[in-house]
Amino acid sequence: DTLTLETIEEINNRVEPYLYIINGDDISVKEENVILKFLEEPLKNSYIIFLSTASHTVIPTILNRCQIWQLQNYTKEELLQFITPEESYLLAIGNTPGQLQALKGQPIQDMCVLADKMIYKISAASLPNTLTITDKLAFKSEKNKFDIDIFIALLEHRIIEAAKASNDTKLYASYSLLRKLRVDYLVPHCDKKPLFDKFLIELRACMKGEVI
């Protein structure tokens, strides 16, 4: 649950073989530095797996100490095993079994309505009204709100579809803003809410044709 020098000392006193799985997306840079020696000089019969969804968010000194495996994306045929034929539309949003499971039971239609309002109507909205969008999203375990990660994945899909149907350069610029937001969200322990507020402000300016 925590990675401190005391944690590593406790591990060093164990004599039984262990498998250690570390979620790199959920630890700080300080914790990454704590485990450097542990990764460089693992205990006998100890096996360490460091998971990360984006290698560029991991400090280079950890990457240098690891043997790297990059997992391949799931194929459409593989993903179809996790959903029913009626749910095949979910493939446009989720690209892993876990994402597809999370999408089931979500108010996708309501999310699409909000996403389309952001794409097509945000330019006419006032700034205060624009920022109320954040109140509809769950950045933690909040009921009756849209899951932020699922909504962002859906918003990305809707922007791509809108861009395909139009030559509006503002849509391509808004897509770039959203991709930047997704990269920012990969930083461990980041506060997603102010980052999304900043994205909304930039998206509104972009769709109004203003220089960001």
Side-chain angles (χ1 to χ4, degrees):
D1 293 334
T2 58
L3 288 172
T4 64
L5 291 174
E6 289 74 19
T7 307
I8 302 302
E9 184 178 353
E10 178 189 342
I11 290 173
N12 285 333
N13 291 326
R14 295 176 180 173
V15 294
E16 306 92 343
Y18 276 91
L19 171 65
Y20 301 95
I21 302 178
I22 301 171
N23 183 0
D25 292 342
D26 198 35
I27 65 174
S28 64
V29 173
K30 179 180 179 181
E31 290 172 309
E32 289 186 47
N33 282 302
V34 164
I35 64 173
L36 284 178
K37 185 174 178 61
F38 179 50
L39 290 172
E40 189 171 27
E41 300 175 7
L43 305 175
K44 186 178 180 181
N45 293 330
S46 288
Y47 304 90
I48 307 165
I49 298 177
F50 187 93
L51 303 173
S52 176
T53 55
S55 60
H56 68 270
T57 65
V58 181
I59 59 176
T61 43
I62 281 187
L63 293 177
N64 294 338
R65 288 164 168 77
C66 295
Q67 181 174 347
I68 298 175
W69 283 286
Q70 184 169 351
L71 303 182
Q72 299 300 311
N73 292 333
Y74 288 91
T75 65
K76 180 180 179 180
E77 289 69 27
E78 290 171 330
L79 292 174
L80 285 172
Q81 301 176 49
F82 298 92
I83 56 177
T84 65
E86 293 75 20
E87 296 170 329
S88 59
Y89 68 93
L90 296 177
L91 293 177
I93 310 168
N95 52 29
T96 70
Q99 289 175 352
L100 293 176
Q101 291 300 315
L103 285 167
K104 290 185 177 184
Q106 293 289 327
I108 300 298
Q109 192 61 41
D110 293 339
M111 288 186 179
C112 286
V113 171
L114 178 59
D116 289 346
K117 283 182 178 179
M118 291 175 61
I119 296 170
Y120 299 108
K121 297 184 178 181
I122 198 170
S123 61
S126 66
L127 183 56
N129 283 342
T130 297
L131 294 177
T132 62
I133 294 173
T134 308
D135 299 331
K136 299 177 173 63
L137 305 174
F139 295 88
K140 297 180 181 178
S141 298
E142 301 170 90
K143 294 182 179 180
N144 303 319
K145 292 187 177 184
F146 300 150
D147 180 278
I148 180 61
D149 296 320
I150 293 176
F151 180 74
I152 287 178
L154 184 142
L155 179 61
E156 180 177 5
H157 168 66
R158 301 298 281 191
I159 290 176
I160 291 173
E161 290 302 304
K164 288 179 180 177
S166 170
N167 290 323
D168 191 343
T169 56
K170 294 193 291 292
L171 290 169
Y172 293 97
S174 64
Y175 174 76
S176 297
L177 289 174
L178 186 60
R179 294 299 298 175
K180 180 180 181 300
L181 177 68
R182 298 194 75 164
V183 170
D184 291 341
Y185 273 13
L186 292 173
V187 177
H189 306 302
C190 70
D191 191 344
K192 293 184 176 182
K193 188 175 184 299
L195 288 175
F196 195 83
D197 282 336
K198 180 175 180 289
F199 164 73
L200 286 174
I201 294 170
E202 293 177 341
L203 177 65
R204 177 175 175 270
C206 173
M207 298 307 288
K208 286 171 69 70
E210 298 174 354
V211 178
I212 303 174

